[in-house]
Amino acid sequence: MGRERQLVQSVVHVCLAGLSAGMFIWLVASGLTLIFGVLGVLNFAHGSFYMLGAYFCFTVLRHLGENFWIGLLLGPLFVCATGLVVERFFLRRVYPLALPYQLLLTFAFVLIFDNLVKIAWGGGSLSPPSMDLFGGSIPIAGRKFPVYNLFIIAVGPLVAIGLWLMLERTWWGRIIRAASSDREMASALGVRVPALFTGVFVFGSWLGAVGGGLAVPYVGLLTPGMGDTIIIEAFIVAVIGGLGSLKGAFSAALIIGVLSAFGTRYFPAFDMFLIFILMAAVLLWRPQGLFGEAR
Amino acid sequence: MTVPRGVWAATPAIKGPIKIGYQAITSGTLAGYGEFHKYGVDMAVEEINAAGGIAGQKVEVEFRDSTTKGDTAIENCRYFVDSWGADFLAGIDSSGQALAIAPVIERLDRVIIITHAATEKLTEEMVFKKGIRQIFRISTPTYQDGHAAAFLAKDLTAVKWSTVSPKYEYGFTCWKMFQDTLGKLKPGVSFVAESFAPFGTTDFRSHINTILDANPDGLYSTEWAGELITFVKQAKEAGLFEKIKHVMFPVGAAMDVLEGLGKEMPDNIWISGRYFFLYPNNKTNNEWVARFRKRWNHYPAYVSETGYSSIYAFKAAVEKAGSKETKAVIQALEGMEMDSPAGRRVFRKEDHQAIYDVPWGKTITDPKYPFKVMGEQKVIPAKEFFNRPPFEGAGTSPPF
């Protein structure tokens, strides 16, 4: 094999790995960003919704046969119920309080959910059987790449477009935007803000849970602490993109995914370091993040 | 003449109960390990107490979560000794923790038997060089993962080796040991690619690309637990096992990995661990495995065996010493031989490392098990490759 062809093969596959990693993080970060953008809540427990999404999806798969798509459809619905309880009975009470109270409350939920998962599913890791989705892997530039990862790469932009259409083009979107920019005014105009917030929170939880469901074949492993690592990455994405900006989160996820893939392959000594350098540089240059609005 | 009674009666040399503080990871992504430890430890305690205890005294074990942090391990040791009144300590999964607690153990002056942490620095530096004699290790050290792998690799046809390993002390040390030893045993081998994955990696795709780019014919990986499961699945998707014929997983024989991967573990992969339930194929081990399965409905993981045997090691040492005082028990443990499910163990006097054999083997499908097991077992005797520290004198320097 010629040296040039080898390089092309390498670069193509590193790009693909980076794109799928980036779009995967975006799926989790989108719900986090939406909830912050509308409700102004930094939801630490979002990683737990991701974890619960994965576990429920796995359980549905186990009881209802091996059809992954049914698991992906039903699993996150259980998490919506969890999100509803969290917002309606707990989070709602701390909206008027300072940010640290929200952080503490949502962090408490992280610990509770981690332990509940241990009680319900056991402390060890669960390894779902590999699913032959879309026929496994296909050769791209002389090397195999799983079709499922191409699917993730495609789903990311679709979710972004869907969210954009919903927020910009629908009546619901207008109401949500109105309520997020001025709660009192929206409420005075007859919008039932508390119910709307519950709805947005549940929808955000669902997005996180879908990320978890998609992780079942993507990561291939479920562990009781799996939400803790992803929430940090999702936070990094949300902060670099500008807290609350979906456009920002999408771009940041893309940049971070590809950058860390290249880092791991070509500058292994600095792989994580590159992300933190990027974060520091962005925050120095634009403290509000790439697409954030200065407050 | 009357028999002396009351205060004049012979007081037993050992006053019970015998309290053992055990710590392992029971939270976070590695929580399963703690559970496996506990199965073995609980079983040993149940058996020993049912048979009359240690020197007639009941055994009590308190189990604590060590997490993965050094300061938690230290805190646990202090709690066990200062607040709970532990006579002995055991457990510890991570090498970092093992090194962190060493000076604390010396000050607390209690014997600890390490059942999982593998760093060779614990026994070489802390015990042999610094003389912290309270520390013993019943599980295999990194020699099993690095040297033994190289002994095996020298007979394979692979000449271009690569690695994907964890990005911390353990991963670096094992890969270096493997390279140094194999380089000496088989001149002409080259090490063409290495990629280190940070703790908690869930996406190995870029690491796999690094390996495929270098086009090696051998892959050595000390990834373990859930990360090894993820790595194998993703490597399979990328066609890595079709391109690389010689693959070695020094911690691949762990039950969580074998059961987790089930039929998805490829055949013909070299695996090993700290203990494997099909070795030795003798009465002691086979009966123990049967008892274990009956009690827990699981095959014993390696930490179940080392946890189990650590409690029996305390029993043997206390009964040999006729005391549970630290000094006496250290003396009893040094050079002590014991039979265990893993076979005969000897605690080497100089560095307090237990010498015992654990096989390497190639994964095969066996209809008797729902997971891959070790076929073609190859035992490299521990005394041949457990690094011989300088204490054995001239003429015994290792051939590697």
mmCIF file with all atom_site columns, all heavy atoms in Angstrom, chain A residues 239-240 275-290:
data_model
loop_
_atom_site.group_PDB
_atom_site.id
_atom_site.type_symbol
_atom_site.label_atom_id
_atom_site.label_alt_id
_atom_site.label_comp_id
_atom_site.label_asym_id
_atom_site.label_entity_id
_atom_site.label_seq_id
_atom_site.pdbx_PDB_ins_code
_atom_site.Cartn_x
_atom_site.Cartn_y
_atom_site.Cartn_z
_atom_site.occupancy
_atom_site.B_iso_or_equiv
_atom_site.pdbx_formal_charge
_atom_site.auth_seq_id
_atom_site.auth_comp_id
_atom_site.auth_asym_id
_atom_site.auth_atom_id
_atom_site.pdbx_PDB_model_num
ATOM 1   N N   . VAL A 1 239 ? -20.651 24.774 27.279 1.00 0.00 ? 239 VAL A N   1
ATOM 2   C CA  . VAL A 1 239 ? -19.958 26.002 27.665 1.00 0.00 ? 239 VAL A CA  1
ATOM 3   C C   . VAL A 1 239 ? -19.192 26.590 26.483 1.00 0.00 ? 239 VAL A C   1
ATOM 4   O O   . VAL A 1 239 ? -19.261 27.797 26.229 1.00 0.00 ? 239 VAL A O   1
ATOM 5   C CB  . VAL A 1 239 ? -19.008 25.737 28.858 1.00 0.00 ? 239 VAL A CB  1
ATOM 6   C CG1 . VAL A 1 239 ? -18.080 26.924 29.079 1.00 0.00 ? 239 VAL A CG1 1
ATOM 7   C CG2 . VAL A 1 239 ? -19.816 25.451 30.113 1.00 0.00 ? 239 VAL A CG2 1
ATOM 8   N N   . ILE A 1 240 ? -18.479 25.737 25.738 1.00 0.00 ? 240 ILE A N   1
ATOM 9   C CA  . ILE A 1 240 ? -17.742 26.253 24.577 1.00 0.00 ? 240 ILE A CA  1
ATOM 10  C C   . ILE A 1 240 ? -18.716 26.848 23.562 1.00 0.00 ? 240 ILE A C   1
ATOM 11  O O   . ILE A 1 240 ? -18.464 27.902 22.977 1.00 0.00 ? 240 ILE A O   1
ATOM 12  C CB  . ILE A 1 240 ? -16.884 25.142 23.915 1.00 0.00 ? 240 ILE A CB  1
ATOM 13  C CG1 . ILE A 1 240 ? -15.763 24.729 24.859 1.00 0.00 ? 240 ILE A CG1 1
ATOM 14  C CG2 . ILE A 1 240 ? -16.291 25.632 22.594 1.00 0.00 ? 240 ILE A CG2 1
ATOM 15  C CD1 . ILE A 1 240 ? -14.791 23.729 24.279 1.00 0.00 ? 240 ILE A CD1 1
ATOM 16  N N   . ILE A 1 275 ? -8.479  19.697 24.094 1.00 0.00 ? 275 ILE A N   1
ATOM 17  C CA  . ILE A 1 275 ? -9.842  20.147 24.365 1.00 0.00 ? 275 ILE A CA  1
ATOM 18  C C   . ILE A 1 275 ? -9.835  21.267 25.402 1.00 0.00 ? 275 ILE A C   1
ATOM 19  O O   . ILE A 1 275 ? -10.535 22.264 25.270 1.00 0.00 ? 275 ILE A O   1
ATOM 20  C CB  . ILE A 1 275 ? -10.677 18.978 24.927 1.00 0.00 ? 275 ILE A CB  1
ATOM 21  C CG1 . ILE A 1 275 ? -10.552 17.792 24.008 1.00 0.00 ? 275 ILE A CG1 1
ATOM 22  C CG2 . ILE A 1 275 ? -12.109 19.409 25.198 1.00 0.00 ? 275 ILE A CG2 1
ATOM 23  C CD1 . ILE A 1 275 ? -11.588 17.615 23.037 1.00 0.00 ? 275 ILE A CD1 1
ATOM 24  N N   . PHE A 1 276 ? -9.004  21.076 26.426 1.00 0.00 ? 276 PHE A N   1
ATOM 25  C CA  . PHE A 1 276 ? -8.982  22.095 27.480 1.00 0.00 ? 276 PHE A CA  1
ATOM 26  C C   . PHE A 1 276 ? -8.336  23.386 26.997 1.00 0.00 ? 276 PHE A C   1
ATOM 27  O O   . PHE A 1 276 ? -8.740  24.481 27.371 1.00 0.00 ? 276 PHE A O   1
ATOM 28  C CB  . PHE A 1 276 ? -8.298  21.539 28.736 1.00 0.00 ? 276 PHE A CB  1
ATOM 29  C CG  . PHE A 1 276 ? -9.104  20.434 29.365 1.00 0.00 ? 276 PHE A CG  1
ATOM 30  C CD1 . PHE A 1 276 ? -8.609  19.144 29.463 1.00 0.00 ? 276 PHE A CD1 1
ATOM 31  C CD2 . PHE A 1 276 ? -10.397 20.669 29.823 1.00 0.00 ? 276 PHE A CD2 1
ATOM 32  C CE1 . PHE A 1 276 ? -9.374  18.129 30.013 1.00 0.00 ? 276 PHE A CE1 1
ATOM 33  C CE2 . PHE A 1 276 ? -11.170 19.660 30.373 1.00 0.00 ? 276 PHE A CE2 1
ATOM 34  C CZ  . PHE A 1 276 ? -10.653 18.386 30.467 1.00 0.00 ? 276 PHE A CZ  1
ATOM 35  N N   . ILE A 1 277 ? -7.327  23.236 26.118 1.00 0.00 ? 277 ILE A N   1
ATOM 36  C CA  . ILE A 1 277 ? -6.721  24.420 25.500 1.00 0.00 ? 277 ILE A CA  1
ATOM 37  C C   . ILE A 1 277 ? -7.785  25.169 24.702 1.00 0.00 ? 277 ILE A C   1
ATOM 38  O O   . ILE A 1 277 ? -7.929  26.383 24.780 1.00 0.00 ? 277 ILE A O   1
ATOM 39  C CB  . ILE A 1 277 ? -5.586  24.018 24.542 1.00 0.00 ? 277 ILE A CB  1
ATOM 40  C CG1 . ILE A 1 277 ? -4.449  23.402 25.328 1.00 0.00 ? 277 ILE A CG1 1
ATOM 41  C CG2 . ILE A 1 277 ? -5.139  25.199 23.689 1.00 0.00 ? 277 ILE A CG2 1
ATOM 42  C CD1 . ILE A 1 277 ? -3.186  24.207 25.360 1.00 0.00 ? 277 ILE A CD1 1
ATOM 43  N N   . LEU A 1 278 ? -8.558  24.393 23.933 1.00 0.00 ? 278 LEU A N   1
ATOM 44  C CA  . LEU A 1 278 ? -9.609  24.992 23.117 1.00 0.00 ? 278 LEU A CA  1
ATOM 45  C C   . LEU A 1 278 ? -10.594 25.718 24.027 1.00 0.00 ? 278 LEU A C   1
ATOM 46  O O   . LEU A 1 278 ? -10.984 26.859 23.770 1.00 0.00 ? 278 LEU A O   1
ATOM 47  C CB  . LEU A 1 278 ? -10.332 23.904 22.316 1.00 0.00 ? 278 LEU A CB  1
ATOM 48  C CG  . LEU A 1 278 ? -11.547 24.389 21.531 1.00 0.00 ? 278 LEU A CG  1
ATOM 49  C CD1 . LEU A 1 278 ? -11.126 25.138 20.287 1.00 0.00 ? 278 LEU A CD1 1
ATOM 50  C CD2 . LEU A 1 278 ? -12.480 23.247 21.169 1.00 0.00 ? 278 LEU A CD2 1
ATOM 51  N N   . MET A 1 279 ? -10.975 25.039 25.113 1.00 0.00 ? 279 MET A N   1
ATOM 52  C CA  . MET A 1 279 ? -11.950 25.642 26.018 1.00 0.00 ? 279 MET A CA  1
ATOM 53  C C   . MET A 1 279 ? -11.400 26.946 26.596 1.00 0.00 ? 279 MET A C   1
ATOM 54  O O   . MET A 1 279 ? -12.088 27.969 26.605 1.00 0.00 ? 279 MET A O   1
ATOM 55  C CB  . MET A 1 279 ? -12.299 24.655 27.137 1.00 0.00 ? 279 MET A CB  1
ATOM 56  C CG  . MET A 1 279 ? -13.409 25.133 28.037 1.00 0.00 ? 279 MET A CG  1
ATOM 57  S SD  . MET A 1 279 ? -14.213 23.783 28.890 1.00 0.00 ? 279 MET A SD  1
ATOM 58  C CE  . MET A 1 279 ? -13.022 23.411 30.140 1.00 0.00 ? 279 MET A CE  1
ATOM 59  N N   . ALA A 1 280 ? -10.145 26.897 27.055 1.00 0.00 ? 280 ALA A N   1
ATOM 60  C CA  . ALA A 1 280 ? -9.537  28.098 27.640 1.00 0.00 ? 280 ALA A CA  1
ATOM 61  C C   . ALA A 1 280 ? -9.471  29.214 26.604 1.00 0.00 ? 280 ALA A C   1
ATOM 62  O O   . ALA A 1 280 ? -9.825  30.367 26.886 1.00 0.00 ? 280 ALA A O   1
ATOM 63  C CB  . ALA A 1 280 ? -8.141  27.769 28.164 1.00 0.00 ? 280 ALA A CB  1
ATOM 64  N N   . ALA A 1 281 ? -9.053  28.855 25.374 1.00 0.00 ? 281 ALA A N   1
ATOM 65  C CA  . ALA A 1 281 ? -8.899  29.871 24.329 1.00 0.00 ? 281 ALA A CA  1
ATOM 66  C C   . ALA A 1 281 ? -10.248 30.508 24.003 1.00 0.00 ? 281 ALA A C   1
ATOM 67  O O   . ALA A 1 281 ? -10.367 31.732 23.923 1.00 0.00 ? 281 ALA A O   1
ATOM 68  C CB  . ALA A 1 281 ? -8.293  29.239 23.081 1.00 0.00 ? 281 ALA A CB  1
ATOM 69  N N   . VAL A 1 282 ? -11.258 29.676 23.846 1.00 0.00 ? 282 VAL A N   1
ATOM 70  C CA  . VAL A 1 282 ? -12.585 30.199 23.509 1.00 0.00 ? 282 VAL A CA  1
ATOM 71  C C   . VAL A 1 282 ? -13.087 31.121 24.614 1.00 0.00 ? 282 VAL A C   1
ATOM 72  O O   . VAL A 1 282 ? -13.600 32.211 24.357 1.00 0.00 ? 282 VAL A O   1
ATOM 73  C CB  . VAL A 1 282 ? -13.587 29.046 23.254 1.00 0.00 ? 282 VAL A CB  1
ATOM 74  C CG1 . VAL A 1 282 ? -15.010 29.571 23.223 1.00 0.00 ? 282 VAL A CG1 1
ATOM 75  C CG2 . VAL A 1 282 ? -13.259 28.347 21.955 1.00 0.00 ? 282 VAL A CG2 1
ATOM 76  N N   . LEU A 1 283 ? -12.911 30.672 25.857 1.00 0.00 ? 283 LEU A N   1
ATOM 77  C CA  . LEU A 1 283 ? -13.453 31.465 26.955 1.00 0.00 ? 283 LEU A CA  1
ATOM 78  C C   . LEU A 1 283 ? -12.702 32.773 27.166 1.00 0.00 ? 283 LEU A C   1
ATOM 79  O O   . LEU A 1 283 ? -13.265 33.768 27.616 1.00 0.00 ? 283 LEU A O   1
ATOM 80  C CB  . LEU A 1 283 ? -13.492 30.645 28.245 1.00 0.00 ? 283 LEU A CB  1
ATOM 81  C CG  . LEU A 1 283 ? -14.475 29.470 28.195 1.00 0.00 ? 283 LEU A CG  1
ATOM 82  C CD1 . LEU A 1 283 ? -14.511 28.739 29.517 1.00 0.00 ? 283 LEU A CD1 1
ATOM 83  C CD2 . LEU A 1 283 ? -15.875 29.921 27.805 1.00 0.00 ? 283 LEU A CD2 1
ATOM 84  N N   . LEU A 1 284 ? -11.413 32.788 26.789 1.00 0.00 ? 284 LEU A N   1
ATOM 85  C CA  . LEU A 1 284 ? -10.652 34.042 26.892 1.00 0.00 ? 284 LEU A CA  1
ATOM 86  C C   . LEU A 1 284 ? -11.110 35.020 25.821 1.00 0.00 ? 284 LEU A C   1
ATOM 87  O O   . LEU A 1 284 ? -11.262 36.206 26.048 1.00 0.00 ? 284 LEU A O   1
ATOM 88  C CB  . LEU A 1 284 ? -9.154  33.769 26.732 1.00 0.00 ? 284 LEU A CB  1
ATOM 89  C CG  . LEU A 1 284 ? -8.449  33.247 27.978 1.00 0.00 ? 284 LEU A CG  1
ATOM 90  C CD1 . LEU A 1 284 ? -7.008  32.881 27.649 1.00 0.00 ? 284 LEU A CD1 1
ATOM 91  C CD2 . LEU A 1 284 ? -8.485  34.280 29.101 1.00 0.00 ? 284 LEU A CD2 1
ATOM 92  N N   . TRP A 1 285 ? -11.351 34.445 24.632 1.00 0.00 ? 285 TRP A N   1
ATOM 93  C CA  . TRP A 1 285 ? -11.690 35.265 23.482 1.00 0.00 ? 285 TRP A CA  1
ATOM 94  C C   . TRP A 1 285 ? -13.156 35.685 23.540 1.00 0.00 ? 285 TRP A C   1
ATOM 95  O O   . TRP A 1 285 ? -13.516 36.830 23.313 1.00 0.00 ? 285 TRP A O   1
ATOM 96  C CB  . TRP A 1 285 ? -11.370 34.469 22.205 1.00 0.00 ? 285 TRP A CB  1
ATOM 97  C CG  . TRP A 1 285 ? -11.929 35.009 20.929 1.00 0.00 ? 285 TRP A CG  1
ATOM 98  C CD1 . TRP A 1 285 ? -11.704 36.250 20.403 1.00 0.00 ? 285 TRP A CD1 1
ATOM 99  C CD2 . TRP A 1 285 ? -12.802 34.334 20.029 1.00 0.00 ? 285 TRP A CD2 1
ATOM 100 N NE1 . TRP A 1 285 ? -12.382 36.385 19.218 1.00 0.00 ? 285 TRP A NE1 1
ATOM 101 C CE2 . TRP A 1 285 ? -13.063 35.221 18.965 1.00 0.00 ? 285 TRP A CE2 1
ATOM 102 C CE3 . TRP A 1 285 ? -13.362 33.051 20.007 1.00 0.00 ? 285 TRP A CE3 1
ATOM 103 C CZ2 . TRP A 1 285 ? -13.885 34.883 17.912 1.00 0.00 ? 285 TRP A CZ2 1
ATOM 104 C CZ3 . TRP A 1 285 ? -14.176 32.711 18.943 1.00 0.00 ? 285 TRP A CZ3 1
ATOM 105 C CH2 . TRP A 1 285 ? -14.437 33.622 17.910 1.00 0.00 ? 285 TRP A CH2 1
ATOM 106 N N   . ARG A 1 286 ? -14.015 34.723 23.867 1.00 0.00 ? 286 ARG A N   1
ATOM 107 C CA  . ARG A 1 286 ? -15.448 34.996 23.990 1.00 0.00 ? 286 ARG A CA  1
ATOM 108 C C   . ARG A 1 286 ? -15.970 34.338 25.263 1.00 0.00 ? 286 ARG A C   1
ATOM 109 O O   . ARG A 1 286 ? -16.385 33.183 25.237 1.00 0.00 ? 286 ARG A O   1
ATOM 110 C CB  . ARG A 1 286 ? -16.206 34.394 22.795 1.00 0.00 ? 286 ARG A CB  1
ATOM 111 C CG  . ARG A 1 286 ? -16.197 35.242 21.537 1.00 0.00 ? 286 ARG A CG  1
ATOM 112 C CD  . ARG A 1 286 ? -17.038 34.568 20.459 1.00 0.00 ? 286 ARG A CD  1
ATOM 113 N NE  . ARG A 1 286 ? -18.476 34.632 20.744 1.00 0.00 ? 286 ARG A NE  1
ATOM 114 C CZ  . ARG A 1 286 ? -19.249 35.640 20.380 1.00 0.00 ? 286 ARG A CZ  1
ATOM 115 N NH1 . ARG A 1 286 ? -18.729 36.670 19.738 1.00 0.00 ? 286 ARG A NH1 1
ATOM 116 N NH2 . ARG A 1 286 ? -20.531 35.635 20.654 1.00 0.00 ? 286 ARG A NH2 1
ATOM 117 N N   . PRO A 1 287 ? -15.946 35.062 26.367 1.00 0.00 ? 287 PRO A N   1
ATOM 118 C CA  . PRO A 1 287 ? -16.350 34.458 27.640 1.00 0.00 ? 287 PRO A CA  1
ATOM 119 C C   . PRO A 1 287 ? -17.755 33.856 27.581 1.00 0.00 ? 287 PRO A C   1
ATOM 120 O O   . PRO A 1 287 ? -18.080 32.957 28.342 1.00 0.00 ? 287 PRO A O   1
ATOM 121 C CB  . PRO A 1 287 ? -16.303 35.619 28.620 1.00 0.00 ? 287 PRO A CB  1
ATOM 122 C CG  . PRO A 1 287 ? -15.436 36.635 27.991 1.00 0.00 ? 287 PRO A CG  1
ATOM 123 C CD  . PRO A 1 287 ? -15.562 36.468 26.515 1.00 0.00 ? 287 PRO A CD  1
ATOM 124 N N   . GLN A 1 288 ? -18.584 34.348 26.677 1.00 0.00 ? 288 GLN A N   1
ATOM 125 C CA  . GLN A 1 288 ? -19.957 33.833 26.610 1.00 0.00 ? 288 GLN A CA  1
ATOM 126 C C   . GLN A 1 288 ? -20.046 32.585 25.724 1.00 0.00 ? 288 GLN A C   1
ATOM 127 O O   . GLN A 1 288 ? -21.133 32.066 25.504 1.00 0.00 ? 288 GLN A O   1
ATOM 128 C CB  . GLN A 1 288 ? -20.909 34.925 26.113 1.00 0.00 ? 288 GLN A CB  1
ATOM 129 C CG  . GLN A 1 288 ? -20.735 35.309 24.657 1.00 0.00 ? 288 GLN A CG  1
ATOM 130 C CD  . GLN A 1 288 ? -19.681 36.383 24.440 1.00 0.00 ? 288 GLN A CD  1
ATOM 131 O OE1 . GLN A 1 288 ? -18.654 36.429 25.116 1.00 0.00 ? 288 GLN A OE1 1
ATOM 132 N NE2 . GLN A 1 288 ? -19.901 37.252 23.466 1.00 0.00 ? 288 GLN A NE2 1
ATOM 133 N N   . GLY A 1 289 ? -18.902 32.098 25.206 1.00 0.00 ? 289 GLY A N   1
ATOM 134 C CA  . GLY A 1 289 ? -18.920 30.928 24.343 1.00 0.00 ? 289 GLY A CA  1
ATOM 135 C C   . GLY A 1 289 ? -19.087 31.328 22.900 1.00 0.00 ? 289 GLY A C   1
ATOM 136 O O   . GLY A 1 289 ? -19.369 32.489 22.582 1.00 0.00 ? 289 GLY A O   1
ATOM 137 N N   . LEU A 1 290 ? -18.929 30.354 21.989 1.00 0.00 ? 290 LEU A N   1
ATOM 138 C CA  . LEU A 1 290 ? -18.932 30.659 20.554 1.00 0.00 ? 290 LEU A CA  1
ATOM 139 C C   . LEU A 1 290 ? -20.187 31.399 20.097 1.00 0.00 ? 290 LEU A C   1
ATOM 140 O O   . LEU A 1 290 ? -20.127 32.383 19.385 1.00 0.00 ? 290 LEU A O   1
ATOM 141 C CB  . LEU A 1 290 ? -18.798 29.357 19.748 1.00 0.00 ? 290 LEU A CB  1
ATOM 142 C CG  . LEU A 1 290 ? -17.446 28.659 19.810 1.00 0.00 ? 290 LEU A CG  1
ATOM 143 C CD1 . LEU A 1 290 ? -17.501 27.330 19.063 1.00 0.00 ? 290 LEU A CD1 1
ATOM 144 C CD2 . LEU A 1 290 ? -16.353 29.543 19.232 1.00 0.00 ? 290 LEU A CD2 1
#
